[in-house]
Amino acid sequence: MIHDLQATQIVDTLFMESCQREGESVSTSIRQLDMASYWRTETGTDCWVIGLVFIQQKEDGFVSVQRRELQHGNMFVLKTSPSNGKVKFDSSFVQMTASLGDESHMYLRS
């Protein structure tokens, strides 16, 4: 199936198509949500574990999402900060940083 990724409602279209496909992906999602863990640290950081994904959100809005690949042990890390407008993605095959504001930039290394 081919989709126009520039379409205005592509996310909605793909989401609706995936919802209509009952099967393994839906049961996997339900199982992962049932097994999800949540806690709050003494410093006020919200933490979730959903499957292989570990999510942290600090009180200032800073979010860190980490996922370890089982097969090779690679780590994927996404960090965002709404207070300074920065985002960073790091993996074994690509690194990316971007920032808004006076020194806005986007750097990509592969």
CSV table of all heavy atoms in Angstrom, one decimal, residues 37-92:
chain,number,residue,atom,x,y,z
A,37,SER,N,4.1,0.0,33.5
A,37,SER,CA,4.3,0.4,34.9
A,37,SER,C,4.5,1.9,35.0
A,37,SER,O,5.0,2.6,34.1
A,37,SER,CB,5.6,-0.2,35.4
A,37,SER,OG,5.6,-1.6,35.4
A,38,TYR,N,4.0,2.5,36.1
A,38,TYR,CA,4.2,4.0,36.3
A,38,TYR,C,4.5,4.2,37.7
A,38,TYR,O,4.1,3.5,38.7
A,38,TYR,CB,2.8,4.7,36.0
A,38,TYR,CG,2.9,6.1,36.5
A,38,TYR,CD1,3.5,7.1,35.8
A,38,TYR,CD2,2.3,6.5,37.7
A,38,TYR,CE1,3.6,8.4,36.3
A,38,TYR,CE2,2.3,7.8,38.2
A,38,TYR,CZ,3.0,8.7,37.5
A,38,TYR,OH,3.0,10.0,38.0
A,39,TRP,N,5.4,5.2,38.0
A,39,TRP,CA,5.8,5.6,39.3
A,39,TRP,C,6.3,7.0,39.2
A,39,TRP,O,6.7,7.5,38.2
A,39,TRP,CB,6.8,4.7,40.0
A,39,TRP,CG,8.2,4.7,39.4
A,39,TRP,CD1,9.2,5.5,39.8
A,39,TRP,CD2,8.6,3.9,38.3
A,39,TRP,NE1,10.3,5.2,39.0
A,39,TRP,CE2,10.0,4.3,38.0
A,39,TRP,CE3,8.0,3.0,37.4
A,39,TRP,CZ2,10.7,3.7,37.0
A,39,TRP,CZ3,8.8,2.4,36.4
A,39,TRP,CH2,10.1,2.8,36.2
A,40,ARG,N,6.3,7.7,40.4
A,40,ARG,CA,6.9,9.1,40.5
A,40,ARG,C,8.0,9.0,41.5
A,40,ARG,O,7.8,8.5,42.6
A,40,ARG,CB,5.8,10.0,40.9
A,40,ARG,CG,6.3,11.5,41.1
A,40,ARG,CD,5.3,12.4,41.4
A,40,ARG,NE,4.7,12.7,40.1
A,40,ARG,CZ,3.9,13.7,39.8
A,40,ARG,NH1,3.5,14.5,40.8
A,40,ARG,NH2,3.4,13.9,38.6
A,41,THR,N,9.1,9.6,41.1
A,41,THR,CA,10.3,9.6,42.0
A,41,THR,C,10.1,10.7,43.1
A,41,THR,O,9.2,11.5,43.0
A,41,THR,CB,11.6,9.9,41.2
A,41,THR,OG1,11.5,11.2,40.7
A,41,THR,CG2,11.8,8.9,40.1
A,42,GLU,N,11.0,10.6,44.1
A,42,GLU,CA,11.0,11.6,45.1
A,42,GLU,C,11.2,13.0,44.6
A,42,GLU,O,10.8,14.0,45.2
A,42,GLU,CB,12.0,11.3,46.2
A,42,GLU,CG,11.7,10.0,47.0
A,42,GLU,CD,12.8,9.7,48.0
A,42,GLU,OE1,13.7,10.5,48.2
A,42,GLU,OE2,12.7,8.6,48.6
A,43,THR,N,11.9,13.2,43.5
A,43,THR,CA,12.2,14.5,42.9
A,43,THR,C,11.1,14.9,42.0
A,43,THR,O,11.2,16.0,41.4
A,43,THR,CB,13.5,14.5,42.1
A,43,THR,OG1,13.5,13.5,41.1
A,43,THR,CG2,14.7,14.1,43.1
A,44,GLY,N,10.0,14.2,41.9
A,44,GLY,CA,8.8,14.6,41.1
A,44,GLY,C,8.9,14.2,39.6
A,44,GLY,O,8.1,14.7,38.8
A,45,THR,N,9.8,13.3,39.3
A,45,THR,CA,9.9,12.8,37.9
A,45,THR,C,8.9,11.7,37.7
A,45,THR,O,8.9,10.7,38.4
A,45,THR,CB,11.3,12.3,37.6
A,45,THR,OG1,12.3,13.4,37.8
A,45,THR,CG2,11.5,11.8,36.2
A,46,ASP,N,8.1,11.8,36.6
A,46,ASP,CA,7.1,10.7,36.3
A,46,ASP,C,7.9,9.7,35.4
A,46,ASP,O,8.6,10.1,34.5
A,46,ASP,CB,5.9,11.3,35.5
A,46,ASP,CG,5.1,12.2,36.4
A,46,ASP,OD1,4.7,11.7,37.5
A,46,ASP,OD2,4.7,13.3,35.9
A,47,CYS,N,7.7,8.4,35.7
A,47,CYS,CA,8.4,7.4,34.9
A,47,CYS,C,7.4,6.3,34.5
A,47,CYS,O,6.5,6.0,35.2
A,47,CYS,CB,9.4,6.7,35.8
A,47,CYS,SG,10.7,7.8,36.5
A,48,TRP,N,7.5,5.9,33.3
A,48,TRP,CA,6.7,4.8,32.7
A,48,TRP,C,7.6,3.8,32.1
A,48,TRP,O,8.7,4.1,31.5
A,48,TRP,CB,5.8,5.3,31.6
A,48,TRP,CG,4.8,6.3,32.0
A,48,TRP,CD1,3.5,6.0,32.4
A,48,TRP,CD2,4.9,7.7,32.1
A,48,TRP,NE1,2.8,7.1,32.7
A,48,TRP,CE2,3.6,8.2,32.5
A,48,TRP,CE3,5.9,8.6,31.8
A,48,TRP,CZ2,3.4,9.6,32.7
A,48,TRP,CZ3,5.7,9.9,32.0
A,48,TRP,CH2,4.4,10.4,32.4
A,49,VAL,N,7.2,2.5,32.1
A,49,VAL,CA,7.9,1.4,31.4
A,49,VAL,C,6.7,0.8,30.6
A,49,VAL,O,5.8,0.3,31.2
A,49,VAL,CB,8.6,0.4,32.2
A,49,VAL,CG1,9.1,-0.7,31.4
A,49,VAL,CG2,9.8,1.1,33.0
A,50,ILE,N,6.9,0.8,29.3
A,50,ILE,CA,5.9,0.2,28.4
A,50,ILE,C,6.6,-0.7,27.4
A,50,ILE,O,7.3,-0.2,26.5
A,50,ILE,CB,5.0,1.2,27.6
A,50,ILE,CG1,4.3,2.2,28.6
A,50,ILE,CG2,4.0,0.5,26.7
A,50,ILE,CD1,3.7,3.4,27.9
A,51,GLY,N,6.6,-2.0,27.7
A,51,GLY,CA,7.4,-2.9,26.9
A,51,GLY,C,8.8,-2.6,27.0
A,51,GLY,O,9.4,-2.6,28.1
A,52,LEU,N,9.5,-2.4,25.9
A,52,LEU,CA,11.0,-2.1,26.0
A,52,LEU,C,11.3,-0.6,26.0
A,52,LEU,O,12.4,-0.2,25.9
A,52,LEU,CB,11.6,-2.7,24.7
A,52,LEU,CG,11.5,-4.2,24.6
A,52,LEU,CD1,12.1,-4.6,23.2
A,52,LEU,CD2,12.2,-4.9,25.7
A,53,VAL,N,10.2,0.2,26.2
A,53,VAL,CA,10.4,1.6,26.2
A,53,VAL,C,10.3,2.2,27.7
A,53,VAL,O,9.4,1.9,28.4
A,53,VAL,CB,9.3,2.3,25.4
A,53,VAL,CG1,9.4,3.8,25.4
A,53,VAL,CG2,9.3,1.8,24.0
A,54,PHE,N,11.3,3.0,28.0
A,54,PHE,CA,11.4,3.7,29.3
A,54,PHE,C,11.2,5.2,29.1
A,54,PHE,O,11.9,5.8,28.3
A,54,PHE,CB,12.7,3.4,30.0
A,54,PHE,CG,12.9,4.1,31.3
A,54,PHE,CD1,11.9,3.9,32.4
A,54,PHE,CD2,13.9,4.9,31.5
A,54,PHE,CE1,12.1,4.6,33.6
A,54,PHE,CE2,14.1,5.6,32.7
A,54,PHE,CZ,13.2,5.4,33.8
A,55,ILE,N,10.2,5.8,29.7
A,55,ILE,CA,9.9,7.2,29.5
A,55,ILE,C,10.0,7.9,30.9
A,55,ILE,O,9.5,7.4,31.9
A,55,ILE,CB,8.5,7.4,29.0
A,55,ILE,CG1,8.3,6.6,27.7
A,55,ILE,CG2,8.1,8.9,28.8
A,55,ILE,CD1,6.9,6.4,27.3
A,56,GLN,N,10.7,9.1,30.9
A,56,GLN,CA,10.7,9.9,32.0
A,56,GLN,C,10.3,11.3,31.7
A,56,GLN,O,10.6,11.8,30.6
A,56,GLN,CB,12.2,10.1,32.5
A,56,GLN,CG,12.8,8.8,33.1
A,56,GLN,CD,14.2,9.0,33.6
A,56,GLN,OE1,15.0,9.6,32.8
A,56,GLN,NE2,14.5,8.7,34.8
A,57,GLN,N,9.5,12.0,32.5
A,57,GLN,CA,9.1,13.4,32.3
A,57,GLN,C,9.4,14.1,33.7
A,57,GLN,O,8.8,13.8,34.7
A,57,GLN,CB,7.7,13.5,31.9
A,57,GLN,CG,7.4,15.0,31.6
A,57,GLN,CD,6.0,15.2,31.0
A,57,GLN,OE1,5.1,14.3,31.1
A,57,GLN,NE2,5.8,16.4,30.4
A,58,LYS,N,10.2,15.1,33.6
A,58,LYS,CA,10.5,15.9,34.8
A,58,LYS,C,9.5,17.0,34.9
A,58,LYS,O,8.7,17.3,34.0
A,58,LYS,CB,11.9,16.5,34.6
A,58,LYS,CG,13.0,15.4,34.6
A,58,LYS,CD,14.4,16.0,34.7
A,58,LYS,CE,15.4,14.9,34.6
A,58,LYS,NZ,15.5,14.0,35.7
A,59,GLU,N,9.5,17.7,36.1
A,59,GLU,CA,8.5,18.7,36.4
A,59,GLU,C,8.5,19.9,35.4
A,59,GLU,O,7.5,20.5,35.1
A,59,GLU,CB,8.7,19.2,37.8
A,59,GLU,CG,8.2,18.2,38.9
A,59,GLU,CD,8.4,18.7,40.3
A,59,GLU,OE1,9.2,19.5,40.5
A,59,GLU,OE2,7.6,18.2,41.1
A,60,ASP,N,9.7,20.2,34.9
A,60,ASP,CA,9.8,21.3,33.9
A,60,ASP,C,9.4,20.9,32.5
A,60,ASP,O,9.5,21.7,31.6
A,60,ASP,CB,11.3,21.8,33.9
A,60,ASP,CG,12.3,20.9,33.3
A,60,ASP,OD1,11.9,19.7,33.0
A,60,ASP,OD2,13.5,21.3,33.2
A,61,GLY,N,9.0,19.7,32.3
A,61,GLY,CA,8.5,19.2,31.0
A,61,GLY,C,9.5,18.5,30.2
A,61,GLY,O,9.2,17.9,29.1
A,62,PHE,N,10.8,18.4,30.6
A,62,PHE,CA,11.8,17.7,29.9
A,62,PHE,C,11.4,16.2,29.8
A,62,PHE,O,11.0,15.6,30.8
A,62,PHE,CB,13.2,17.8,30.7
A,62,PHE,CG,14.3,16.9,30.1
A,62,PHE,CD1,15.0,17.4,29.0
A,62,PHE,CD2,14.5,15.7,30.6
A,62,PHE,CE1,16.0,16.6,28.5
A,62,PHE,CE2,15.5,14.9,30.1
A,62,PHE,CZ,16.3,15.4,29.0
A,63,VAL,N,11.5,15.6,28.6
A,63,VAL,CA,11.1,14.2,28.4
A,63,VAL,C,12.2,13.4,27.8
A,63,VAL,O,12.9,13.9,26.9
A,63,VAL,CB,9.9,14.1,27.5
A,63,VAL,CG1,9.5,12.7,27.1
A,63,VAL,CG2,8.7,14.8,28.1
A,64,SER,N,12.5,12.3,28.3
A,64,SER,CA,13.5,11.3,27.8
A,64,SER,C,12.8,10.0,27.5
A,64,SER,O,12.1,9.5,28.4
A,64,SER,CB,14.6,11.1,28.9
A,64,SER,OG,15.5,10.1,28.4
A,65,VAL,N,13.0,9.5,26.3
A,65,VAL,CA,12.4,8.2,25.9
A,65,VAL,C,13.6,7.3,25.5
A,65,VAL,O,14.4,7.7,24.6
A,65,VAL,CB,11.4,8.4,24.7
A,65,VAL,CG1,10.8,7.0,24.3
A,65,VAL,CG2,10.3,9.4,25.1
A,66,GLN,N,13.7,6.2,26.1
A,66,GLN,CA,14.7,5.2,25.7
A,66,GLN,C,14.2,3.9,25.4
A,66,GLN,O,13.2,3.4,26.0
A,66,GLN,CB,15.7,5.0,26.9
A,66,GLN,CG,16.3,6.3,27.4
A,66,GLN,CD,17.1,6.1,28.7
A,66,GLN,OE1,17.5,5.0,29.0
A,66,GLN,NE2,17.4,7.1,29.4
A,67,ARG,N,14.8,3.3,24.4
A,67,ARG,CA,14.4,1.9,23.9
A,67,ARG,C,15.6,1.1,23.6
A,67,ARG,O,16.4,1.6,22.8
A,67,ARG,CB,13.4,2.0,22.7
A,67,ARG,CG,13.0,0.6,22.3
A,67,ARG,CD,12.0,0.7,21.1
A,67,ARG,NE,11.5,-0.6,20.8
A,67,ARG,CZ,12.1,-1.5,20.0
A,67,ARG,NH1,13.3,-1.3,19.5
A,67,ARG,NH2,11.5,-2.7,19.8
A,68,ARG,N,15.7,0.0,24.2
A,68,ARG,CA,16.8,-0.9,23.9
A,68,ARG,C,16.3,-2.0,22.9
A,68,ARG,O,15.3,-2.6,23.1
A,68,ARG,CB,17.3,-1.6,25.1
A,68,ARG,CG,18.5,-2.5,24.8
A,68,ARG,CD,19.2,-3.0,26.1
A,68,ARG,NE,19.8,-1.9,26.9
A,68,ARG,CZ,20.9,-1.3,26.7
A,68,ARG,NH1,21.6,-1.5,25.6
A,68,ARG,NH2,21.3,-0.3,27.5
A,69,GLU,N,17.1,-2.2,21.9
A,69,GLU,CA,16.8,-3.2,20.9
A,69,GLU,C,17.2,-4.6,21.4
A,69,GLU,O,18.4,-4.7,21.8
A,69,GLU,CB,17.5,-2.9,19.6
A,69,GLU,CG,17.2,-3.9,18.4
A,69,GLU,CD,18.0,-3.5,17.2
A,69,GLU,OE1,19.2,-3.4,17.3
A,69,GLU,OE2,17.4,-3.3,16.1
A,70,LEU,N,16.4,-5.6,21.4
A,70,LEU,CA,16.7,-6.9,22.0
A,70,LEU,C,17.8,-7.6,21.2
A,70,LEU,O,18.7,-8.2,21.8
A,70,LEU,CB,15.5,-7.8,22.1
A,70,LEU,CG,14.6,-7.4,23.3
A,70,LEU,CD1,13.4,-8.4,23.3
A,70,LEU,CD2,15.3,-7.5,24.6
A,71,GLN,N,17.7,-7.6,19.9
A,71,GLN,CA,18.5,-8.4,19.1
A,71,GLN,C,20.0,-8.0,19.2
A,71,GLN,O,20.9,-8.9,19.3
A,71,GLN,CB,18.1,-8.3,17.6
A,71,GLN,CG,18.7,-9.3,16.7
A,71,GLN,CD,18.2,-9.3,15.3
A,71,GLN,OE1,17.5,-8.3,14.9
A,71,GLN,NE2,18.4,-10.3,14.6
A,72,HIS,N,20.3,-6.7,19.1
A,72,HIS,CA,21.7,-6.3,19.1
A,72,HIS,C,22.0,-5.4,20.3
A,72,HIS,O,23.2,-5.1,20.5
A,72,HIS,CB,21.9,-5.4,17.8
A,72,HIS,CG,21.7,-6.2,16.5
A,72,HIS,ND1,22.5,-7.2,16.1
A,72,HIS,CD2,20.7,-6.0,15.6
A,72,HIS,CE1,22.0,-7.7,15.0
A,72,HIS,NE2,20.9,-7.0,14.7
A,73,GLY,N,21.1,-5.1,21.1
A,73,GLY,CA,21.4,-4.4,22.3
A,73,GLY,C,21.5,-2.9,22.1
A,73,GLY,O,22.0,-2.2,23.0
A,74,ASN,N,21.2,-2.4,20.9
A,74,ASN,CA,21.4,-1.0,20.6
A,74,ASN,C,20.4,-0.2,21.4
A,74,ASN,O,19.2,-0.6,21.7
A,74,ASN,CB,21.2,-0.7,19.1
A,74,ASN,CG,22.2,-1.4,18.3
A,74,ASN,OD1,23.4,-1.5,18.7
A,74,ASN,ND2,21.9,-1.7,17.1
A,75,MET,N,20.8,1.1,21.8
A,75,MET,CA,19.9,1.9,22.5
A,75,MET,C,19.4,3.1,21.7
A,75,MET,O,20.3,3.7,21.0
A,75,MET,CB,20.6,2.5,23.8
A,75,MET,CG,19.8,3.4,24.6
A,75,MET,SD,18.5,2.6,25.6
A,75,MET,CE,19.4,2.0,26.9
A,76,PHE,N,18.1,3.4,21.7
A,76,PHE,CA,17.6,4.6,21.0
A,76,PHE,C,17.2,5.5,22.1
A,76,PHE,O,16.4,5.2,23.0
A,76,PHE,CB,16.4,4.2,20.1
A,76,PHE,CG,16.7,3.2,19.1
A,76,PHE,CD1,16.6,1.8,19.3
A,76,PHE,CD2,17.1,3.6,17.8
A,76,PHE,CE1,16.9,0.9,18.4
A,76,PHE,CE2,17.4,2.6,16.8
A,76,PHE,CZ,17.3,1.3,17.1
A,77,VAL,N,17.6,6.8,22.0
A,77,VAL,CA,17.3,7.8,23.0
A,77,VAL,C,16.8,9.0,22.3
A,77,VAL,O,17.4,9.6,21.4
A,77,VAL,CB,18.5,8.1,23.8
A,77,VAL,CG1,18.2,9.2,24.9
A,77,VAL,CG2,19.1,6.9,24.5
A,78,LEU,N,15.6,9.5,22.8
A,78,LEU,CA,15.0,10.8,22.3
A,78,LEU,C,14.8,11.7,23.6
A,78,LEU,O,14.2,11.2,24.6
A,78,LEU,CB,13.7,10.5,21.7
A,78,LEU,CG,12.9,11.8,21.3
A,78,LEU,CD1,13.6,12.5,20.1
A,78,LEU,CD2,11.5,11.4,20.9
A,79,LYS,N,15.4,12.9,23.5
A,79,LYS,CA,15.2,13.8,24.6
A,79,LYS,C,14.7,15.1,24.1
A,79,LYS,O,15.2,15.6,23.1
A,79,LYS,CB,16.6,14.1,25.3
A,79,LYS,CG,17.1,12.8,26.0
A,79,LYS,CD,18.5,13.1,26.6
A,79,LYS,CE,19.0,11.8,27.3
A,79,LYS,NZ,20.2,12.0,28.0
A,80,THR,N,13.7,15.7,24.8
A,80,THR,CA,13.1,17.0,24.4
A,80,THR,C,13.0,17.9,25.6
A,80,THR,O,12.7,17.4,26.7
A,80,THR,CB,11.7,16.8,23.7
A,80,THR,OG1,10.8,16.3,24.7
A,80,THR,CG2,11.8,15.9,22.5
A,81,SER,N,13.1,19.1,25.3
A,81,SER,CA,12.9,20.1,26.4
A,81,SER,C,12.1,21.3,25.9
A,81,SER,O,12.5,22.1,25.1
A,81,SER,CB,14.3,20.6,26.9
A,81,SER,OG,14.1,21.6,27.9
A,82,PRO,N,10.9,21.4,26.4
A,82,PRO,CA,10.0,22.5,26.0
A,82,PRO,C,10.5,23.9,26.5
A,82,PRO,O,10.3,24.9,25.9
A,82,PRO,CB,8.6,22.2,26.6
A,82,PRO,CG,8.9,21.3,27.7
A,82,PRO,CD,10.2,20.6,27.4
A,83,SER,N,11.3,23.9,27.6
A,83,SER,CA,11.7,25.1,28.2
A,83,SER,C,12.8,25.8,27.3
A,83,SER,O,12.9,27.0,27.3
A,83,SER,CB,12.3,24.9,29.6
A,83,SER,OG,13.4,24.0,29.6
A,84,ASN,N,13.6,25.0,26.6
A,84,ASN,CA,14.7,25.6,25.8
A,84,ASN,C,14.5,25.3,24.3
A,84,ASN,O,15.3,25.7,23.5
A,84,ASN,CB,16.1,25.3,26.3
A,84,ASN,CG,16.4,23.8,26.2
A,84,ASN,OD1,15.7,23.0,25.5
A,84,ASN,ND2,17.4,23.4,26.9
A,85,GLY,N,13.5,24.5,24.0
A,85,GLY,CA,13.2,24.2,22.6
A,85,GLY,C,14.2,23.3,21.9
A,85,GLY,O,14.4,23.4,20.7
A,86,LYS,N,14.8,22.4,22.6
A,86,LYS,CA,15.8,21.5,22.1
A,86,LYS,C,15.3,20.1,22.0
A,86,LYS,O,14.5,19.7,22.8
A,86,LYS,CB,17.1,21.6,22.9
A,86,LYS,CG,17.8,22.9,22.8
A,86,LYS,CD,19.1,22.9,23.5
A,86,LYS,CE,19.8,24.2,23.4
A,86,LYS,NZ,21.1,24.3,24.1
A,87,VAL,N,15.8,19.4,21.0
A,87,VAL,CA,15.5,18.0,20.9
A,87,VAL,C,16.8,17.3,20.5
A,87,VAL,O,17.6,17.8,19.7
A,87,VAL,CB,14.4,17.7,19.8
A,87,VAL,CG1,14.8,18.1,18.5
A,87,VAL,CG2,14.0,16.2,19.8
A,88,LYS,N,17.0,16.0,20.9
A,88,LYS,CA,18.1,15.2,20.6
A,88,LYS,C,17.7,13.8,20.4
A,88,LYS,O,16.9,13.2,21.2
A,88,LYS,CB,19.2,15.3,21.7
A,88,LYS,CG,20.4,14.5,21.5
A,88,LYS,CD,21.4,14.6,22.6
A,88,LYS,CE,22.7,13.8,22.3
A,88,LYS,NZ,23.6,13.9,23.4
A,89,PHE,N,18.2,13.2,19.3
A,89,PHE,CA,17.9,11.8,19.1
A,89,PHE,C,19.3,11.1,18.9
A,89,PHE,O,20.1,11.6,18.2
A,89,PHE,CB,17.1,11.6,17.8
A,89,PHE,CG,16.9,10.1,17.5
A,89,PHE,CD1,16.0,9.3,18.2
A,89,PHE,CD2,17.7,9.5,16.5
A,89,PHE,CE1,15.8,8.0,17.9
A,89,PHE,CE2,17.5,8.1,16.2
A,89,PHE,CZ,16.6,7.4,16.9
A,90,ASP,N,19.5,10.0,19.5
A,90,ASP,CA,20.8,9.3,19.4
A,90,ASP,C,20.5,7.8,19.3
A,90,ASP,O,19.7,7.2,20.0
A,90,ASP,CB,21.6,9.5,20.7
A,90,ASP,CG,23.0,9.1,20.6
A,90,ASP,OD1,23.5,8.9,19.4
A,90,ASP,OD2,23.7,9.0,21.6
A,91,SER,N,21.2,7.2,18.3
A,91,SER,CA,21.2,5.7,18.1
A,91,SER,C,22.5,5.3,17.6
A,91,SER,O,23.4,6.1,17.3
A,91,SER,CB,20.0,5.3,17.2
A,91,SER,OG,20.4,5.7,15.9
A,92,SER,N,22.7,4.0,17.3
A,92,SER,CA,23.9,3.5,16.8
A,92,SER,C,24.2,3.9,15.3
A,92,SER,O,25.3,3.9,14.8
A,92,SER,CB,24.0,2.0,16.9
A,92,SER,OG,23.0,1.4,16.2
